[in-house]
Amino acid sequence: MVEYGCFLSTEEFGPSDLVEQARMAEQAGFQSLWISDHFHPWNDEQGQSPFVWSVIGALSEAVSLPIGTAVTCPTVRMHPAVVAQAAATSAVMTNGRFRLGVGSGEALNEHIFGDAWPPAHVRLEMLEESIQVMRQLFTGKEINHSGPHYTVQNARLYTVPDEPVPIDISGFGPQATALAARVGDGYITMMPEVSMVEQFRKGGGGGKPVSGGTKVCYGQDRDECVRTVHRLWANQLLPGEMGQVLPSPRHFEQLEPLITEDMVSQNVVCGDDVDEHVGALSAFADAGFDRVYVNQIGPDQRGFFDFYRTKVLPQLQEGVR
């Protein structure tokens, strides 16, 4: 059975709005929550970036849905020992319904202390070591670790869940996907690509969950939805490694003229065509994903949740029976 969840955007909404969206998601019939983990938004138009761990605490009291980060970078801005403590506490507060999604990060969020931004292969080495550190800490035992990137001395987490926090690894290329298959408890990727799912499964992922996410803009005026996406999320259509190496929101804003409204119209589901919304999420299910998360771009959150509650989710759920 494919699980359909709601993707909360900390780049676009403040804490109170995110908590209210989570409530609406649960009422609409979504089965789980993802939440992004950023220090900066991608551009000033998005305009928010609350501390995700505070928001997760509020979510744990507001809803009963499972929660996961998509994704946290536990390597530069935050030491993996601190991320481990945050994740363990989140798991306790959600009664074990928390998954830690991790990735190698973006300079946008991680370079803020002035550290050099490592190349991709080094970032993956750091990510793997950070996972080793966090898993040791999830045992609740005192640990000491001395590795090429991290040192931990006499560290013990006293507040830990009954079971270690599952760690899902994000991957958009073969190297990161291979790491996810080898050491992850699950795999995260944002495109419904059969080849990536197959690589994960064959590389050691076996029966572990594969999760994906997409952004849409529901509204009765399709052209207005296209303009909303172009204004707020043109960055998601930038090619190559720019998303990982540009250091500030203004750099993404400088590149926005490269993305046209026609490109948005062709690549993002906009408007109120039920079949388009169902098709976008079904593409992940057809590619072998176990969990699919959807984020509504723009202010019409209530309209989105009503639309999915009455028209989209019933079709998706019917399709997996």
Side-chain angles (χ1 to χ4, degrees):
M1 295 286 288
V2 179
E3 180 180 292
Y4 293 97
C6 178
F7 193 173
L8 303 175
S9 170
T10 59
E11 303 96 310
E12 196 181 336
F13 297 97
S16 296
D17 285 336
L18 292 166
V19 172
E20 181 58 26
Q21 288 169 25
R23 290 193 182 101
M24 290 191 286
E26 187 166 39
Q27 293 165 3
F30 285 99
Q31 297 166 284
S32 56
L33 299 173
W34 258 2
I35 186 166
S36 56
D37 181 357
H38 270 239
F39 189 87
H40 292 135
W42 297 96
N43 55 58
D44 283 358
E45 279 290 327
Q46 291 173 358
Q48 292 287 341
S49 203
F51 189 56
V52 72
W53 302 104
S54 300
V55 179
I56 289 171
L59 293 174
S60 72
E61 294 295 309
V63 299
S64 61
L65 297 177
I67 303 168
T69 53
V71 294
T72 294
C73 178
T75 59
V76 179
R77 172 170 50 106
M78 290 182 67
H79 191 283
V82 178
V83 175
Q85 185 182 27
T89 299
S90 297
V92 170
M93 293 187 73
T94 57
N95 295 313
R97 299 188 308 275
F98 178 77
R99 298 184 74 91
L100 176 63
V102 299
S104 59
E106 305 95 9
L108 174 73
N109 300 301
E110 306 304 324
H111 86 293
I112 58 171
F113 300 128
D115 302 282
W117 184 235
H121 74 280
V122 175
R123 299 201 306 270
L124 288 176
E125 289 175 6
M126 296 171 72
L127 180 61
E128 182 168 3
E129 186 180 345
S130 76
I131 291 169
Q132 294 172 358
V133 169
M134 291 188 292
R135 284 192 170 136
Q136 290 180 68
L137 286 165
F138 289 153
T139 65
K141 300 176 182 178
E142 182 179 304
I143 76 157
N144 292 281
H145 173 91
S146 181
H149 301 289
Y150 303 105
T151 299
V152 180
Q153 292 183 348
N154 307 117
R156 177 185 173 189
L157 295 183
Y158 281 80
T159 300
V160 293
D162 293 336
E163 298 293 333
V165 180
I167 300 176
D168 299 334
I169 300 177
S170 173
F172 303 107
Q175 290 182 321
T177 302
L179 176 64
R182 183 162 51 82
V183 304
D185 297 309
Y187 175 49
I188 293 171
T189 191
M190 302 304 286
M191 295 297 292
E193 295 182 2
V194 174
S195 61
M196 292 290 97
V197 177
E198 290 179 345
Q199 181 190 346
F200 174 73
R201 298 285 189 213
K202 293 176 181 178
K208 298 175 183 177
V210 175
S211 303
T214 190
K215 292 182 178 292
V216 303
C217 187
Y218 162 80
Q220 296 181 354
D221 185 333
R222 188 178 191 280
D223 291 339
E224 179 61 28
C225 289
V226 169
R227 289 190 290 270
T228 296
V229 175
H230 187 261
R231 176 173 61 86
L232 291 170
W233 284 92
N235 63 278
Q236 70 176 337
L237 297 179
L238 291 172
E241 295 184 66
M242 285 183 280
Q244 284 71 53
V245 300
L246 295 179
S248 76
R250 71 174 180 273
H251 292 100
F252 286 93
E253 292 166 0
Q254 290 167 7
L255 295 180
E256 286 174 2
L258 299 176
I259 308 301
T260 66
E261 289 186 7
D262 283 343
M263 294 168 66
V264 170
S265 181
Q266 294 170 20
N267 290 279
V268 182
V269 173
C270 293
D272 59 357
D273 186 311
V274 177
D275 290 340
E276 287 190 19
H277 286 264
V278 170
L281 274 64
S282 296
F284 286 89
D286 294 342
F289 284 69
D290 303 290
R291 297 167 180 157
V292 186
Y293 295 82
V294 59
N295 169 251
Q296 162 72 355
I297 294 172
D300 191 6
Q301 295 292 317
R302 186 166 296 280
F304 162 79
F305 285 113
D306 287 344
F307 177 65
Y308 267 67
R309 174 179 58 82
T310 59
K311 297 184 178 180
V312 178
L313 289 178
Q315 284 201 35
L316 290 167
Q317 291 158 356
E318 183 67 28
V320 299
R321 289 175 186 167

